[in-house]
Amino acid sequence: MDLLIPDLGLLFWQIIIFGGLFFILRKFAWGPITQSLKEREDNIQGALDLAEKTRGEMAKLKSENEQILAQARNERDVMLRGAKETADKMVADARDRANIEGQRMLEQAREAMQNERQALVAQMKKEVVNLSIEVAEKVLRRELNDKASQEKLVQDLVATSHLN
Amino acid sequence: MMGSSIKQLLLAFALIISTVSGVFAQEHTLDGQETKHEQEKGFNVGDMIKHHIRDDRGWEFAHGITLPLPVILYSKDRGLEVFSSSHLNHGAIYEGYKSEHGHIHRVDAAGKPDENVHVYDFSITKNVASLILSALILFFVFTSVAKGYDKNKGKAPSGLQSFLEPIVMFVRDEIAKPNLGPKYATYLPYLLTLFFFILVNNLLGLLPGGANLTGNIAVTMVLAVITFFVTSFSGNKHYWMHLVKPTGVPVALLPIMIPVEIVGLFMKPLSLMIRLFANITAGHIIILSLLALIFIAGQAGAGTGYGVSLIVVPFTLFMNLIELLVAFLQAFIFTLLTSMYIGSAIEEHHEADHGIGYEGPGVEIG
């Protein structure tokens, strides 16, 4: 057991025990430990990658949302403008139509009044003629009681009526 | 959380006690057979240190408190024999065996060593006991850590698991991956076992009464030889071709370079073996030498001994802290170099670099 001469017994036990330790630890310790470490690292890496991906997706989603919002705002503006225009147009149309209708009604009323007046005038003419004829009849009946006067009248009438 | 606080306590305990324990470290050498002789001649620093860094038949925790360990012998005529090491204490003869300077001989009735019988010694010595202890510690610690991963699946690690996980990940990410490339997973179990085996035994060696296992050449030799075999068996065509046809070397230099390459092949594990052995043993020798100063001074008078201890004890404490660092460092270096050697053996070369701008798989340390 000198310092620099390897001792047979210790060599033997060292080979046996170190070798045994290596195989046992490899199977029961290093295998599970390195496996778990690797799994955990993969997990962490996976989680980090996922977070990065999610962040990217979120950013994309946000920009998309903004785009959609902007588009919606735009559409709303367009719609509002369109609605206003339609409303204005409708009002203008209504006004125009009302004007035209009013004009037409006035015209009709005027026409009706004209017709009425003409009818009235005609009626009145007729009445006046009838009245005049009645008066004339009465006057004639009284004047032509005798034969002479009748003759005279005929004479007059013939005289006045120029039959040419 | 529990694990780390226990570990801290353990380390603090180890530091304090191992400093104090030097006080009890006396000239009790292997098998105790020389104790009497030494006591007559006074305190012998060399023997004390040798006793502490060498293997022993029993496990002496403090002076006089020794745990006897089994002696296992094999000889052709008698077969396997097992008995307690306490029978061989102080040079006693038991069943015809006598232990001298750590070697067990067959002796005849007169007590003369019998040279004809070769005895193979497979005893559970202090180092083997410490080896078994460290293997048990590693087994229970890491199977419980592995269970922790099962229990805390999908959750944060807890307890011992969270204490050891950074170290496991350090070995994987800083040692295995940079040197071995994509094929690191094949060698990772070996590197992890190597790292924690050396680390635990370095730390156990720092405990008072602990065995100097990683400072034993047999242990480092086995580790280095395993690394050598792993490297050699994983070596690809390029690795072996490099031995006989180094890239970018002029033909005239080949007679020099080929032997250099071949020597280099064996020098790598050899350097691994000696580096770990020398670092750990040297650390133990330094601490023991420092503590021995107290006893040397103590021979001049008790007052001098106490006076010197005022300087020596803080310095020993400091050395112990350095040893704690070395315990981690040497485990790291051994593992790193192993992975670099394997890395150089499995490396794929797509084009000849002619040795220009080639920076190797990592930085050479140690």
Side-chain angles (χ1 to χ4, degrees):
Chain A
M1 295 185 192
D2 289 307
L3 215 51
L4 286 173
I5 298 168
D7 181 50
L8 176 72
L10 190 55
L11 273 180
F12 170 77
W13 289 114
Q14 168 69 9
I15 291 167
I16 300 283
I17 291 170
F18 184 79
L21 188 69
F22 166 68
F23 286 109
I24 289 170
L25 285 186
R26 188 174 67 167
K27 181 147 173 45
F28 295 107
W30 307 134
I33 289 173
T34 49
Q35 183 67 26
S36 305
L37 282 177
K38 197 164 161 48
E39 267 169 29
R40 198 168 66 204
E41 273 161 16
D42 289 351
N43 259 347
I44 292 171
Q45 194 57 51
L48 286 176
D49 288 349
L50 190 68
E52 192 59 39
K53 210 175 131 205
T54 313
R55 198 177 300 138
E57 270 172 15
M58 283 293 286
K60 209 174 128 205
L61 220 65
K62 208 178 151 203
S63 78
E64 262 177 23
N65 276 351
E66 266 166 16
Q67 208 180 325
I68 289 171
L69 212 67
Q71 208 177 327
R73 210 173 283 139
N74 224 14
E75 264 171 33
R76 188 196 64 185
D77 285 352
V78 168
M79 272 164 80
L80 271 178
R81 207 175 299 129
K84 198 160 176 285
E85 268 169 20
T86 318
D88 284 353
K89 194 158 165 273
M90 270 166 79
V91 168
D93 279 1
R95 196 185 294 133
D96 287 355
R97 252 205 316 277
N99 274 346
I100 290 164
E101 191 72 8
Q103 213 70 35
R104 199 175 60 82
M105 273 164 80
L106 268 175
E107 209 65 38
Q108 254 176 4
R110 199 174 292 138
E111 217 166 286
M113 271 167 70
Q114 197 73 25
N115 288 349
E116 207 77 1
R117 208 180 58 146
Q118 279 175 353
L120 213 65
V121 169
Q123 187 82 15
M124 274 174 71
K125 269 185 187 163
K126 216 168 135 191
E127 294 270 325
V128 168
V129 168
N130 280 349
L131 208 62
S132 329
I133 291 173
E134 252 175 68
V135 169
E137 203 186 275
K138 274 179 188 161
V139 169
L140 281 175
R141 213 163 267 168
R142 207 164 332 140
E143 286 226 353
L144 298 174
N145 279 345
D146 50 311
K147 202 104 176 163
S149 32
Q150 284 174 356
E151 287 223 356
K152 189 189 178 249
L153 184 59
V154 172
Q155 288 282 304
D156 283 350
L157 282 170
V158 171
T160 50
S161 13
H162 300 285
L163 299 169
N164 22 353
Chain B
M1 208 165 64
M2 267 286 281
S4 70
S5 64
I6 286 173
K7 196 98 179 173
Q8 274 176 354
L9 267 177
L10 207 72
L11 291 181
F13 179 74
L15 279 174
I16 294 162
I17 302 301
S18 66
T19 310
V20 174
S21 74
V23 176
F24 302 107
Q26 290 187 2
E27 61 278 22
H28 185 88
T29 53
L30 210 64
D31 312 325
Q33 74 257 43
E34 281 166 307
T35 313
K36 217 175 155 193
H37 168 65
E38 277 175 21
Q39 269 168 352
E40 285 163 5
K41 136 181 137 168
F43 181 66
N44 185 328
V45 182
D47 285 340
M48 183 276 275
I49 289 173
K50 262 192 222 158
H51 164 60
H52 273 269
I53 60 175
R54 278 198 310 212
D55 208 352
D56 207 349
R57 298 222 165 271
W59 197 331
E60 188 180 29
F61 297 102
H63 190 51
I65 307 168
T66 306
L67 178 74
L69 296 165
V71 172
I72 302 167
L73 299 175
Y74 178 81
S75 51
K76 267 188 185 147
D77 53 339
R78 292 209 206 161
L80 211 60
E81 284 170 292
V82 180
F83 53 89
S84 166
S85 71
S86 59
H87 293 301
L88 293 173
N89 274 353
H90 306 283
I93 297 170
Y94 180 78
E95 306 248 340
Y97 290 110
K98 186 174 196 270
S99 176
E100 271 178 315
H101 305 286
H103 292 285
I104 290 182
H105 303 289
R106 184 75 65 74
V107 288
D108 53 24
K112 290 261 181 196
D114 187 351
E115 298 293 341
N116 298 327
V117 185
H118 196 87
V119 181
Y120 297 94
D121 185 0
F122 295 105
S123 301
I124 305 296
T125 58
K126 181 183 178 183
N127 273 345
V128 177
S130 180
L131 172 65
I132 294 168
L133 179 69
S134 70
L136 288 176
I137 289 173
L138 284 168
F139 174 72
F140 285 114
V141 164
F142 284 103
T143 45
S144 93
V145 168
K147 273 196 207 92
Y149 281 101
D150 215 26
K151 199 180 67 187
N152 296 335
K153 206 169 181 67
K155 279 189 268 178
S158 66
L160 202 57
Q161 187 194 355
S162 57
F163 176 73
L164 290 166
E165 186 183 296
I167 309 178
V168 173
M169 286 181 70
F170 173 78
V171 173
R172 190 192 63 178
D173 296 338
E174 307 297 326
I175 297 178
K177 273 185 188 171
N179 295 315
L180 297 171
K183 281 187 256 174
Y184 79 94
T186 319
Y187 302 98
L188 190 58
Y190 174 58
L191 294 177
L192 283 167
T193 313
L194 198 60
F195 181 84
F196 284 105
F197 179 83
I198 296 172
L199 179 63
V200 162
N201 280 303
N202 283 349
L203 292 174
L204 282 179
L206 286 178
L207 290 175
N212 181 24
L213 190 72
T214 39
N216 189 298
I217 197 113
V219 172
T220 60
M221 189 172 146
V222 169
L223 299 179
V225 166
I226 293 173
T227 291
F228 174 72
F229 280 131
V230 171
T231 310
S232 300
F233 285 124
S234 11
N236 56 18
K237 194 175 138 234
H238 180 272
Y239 175 69
W240 292 113
M241 283 305 289
H242 191 79
L243 281 183
V244 289
K245 201 170 89 50
T247 42
V249 175
V251 181
L253 277 177
L254 283 183
I256 306 171
M257 283 313 289
I258 289 173
V260 166
E261 290 285 341
I262 290 169
V263 167
L265 200 65
F266 297 101
M267 209 44 99
K268 286 172 180 175
L270 200 72
S271 73
L272 278 182
M273 171 178 95
I274 293 170
R275 181 182 297 109
L276 181 58
F277 156 74
N279 269 289
I280 302 306
T281 303
H284 285 230
I285 291 175
I286 290 172
I287 289 174
L288 290 165
S289 309
L290 281 171
L291 290 169
L293 281 178
I294 300 173
F295 294 92
I296 292 167
Q299 284 177 327
T304 329
Y306 286 118
V308 168
S309 69
L310 285 179
I311 307 159
V312 168
V313 169
F315 199 67
T316 312
L317 201 60
F318 168 70
M319 276 313 298
N320 249 319
L321 288 168
I322 299 243
E323 282 308 299
L324 209 55
L325 175 72
V326 168
F328 281 92
L329 197 65
Q330 288 304 320
F332 168 65
I333 288 171
F334 199 107
T335 317
L336 180 72
L337 289 176
T338 294
S339 71
M340 278 170 59
Y341 296 156
I342 298 171
S344 72
I346 61 171
E347 201 177 17
E348 295 290 343
H349 289 258
H350 297 295
E351 56 192 80
D353 50 29
H354 302 291
I356 301 160
Y358 178 66
E359 291 179 349
V363 184
E364 184 85 24
I365 296 178

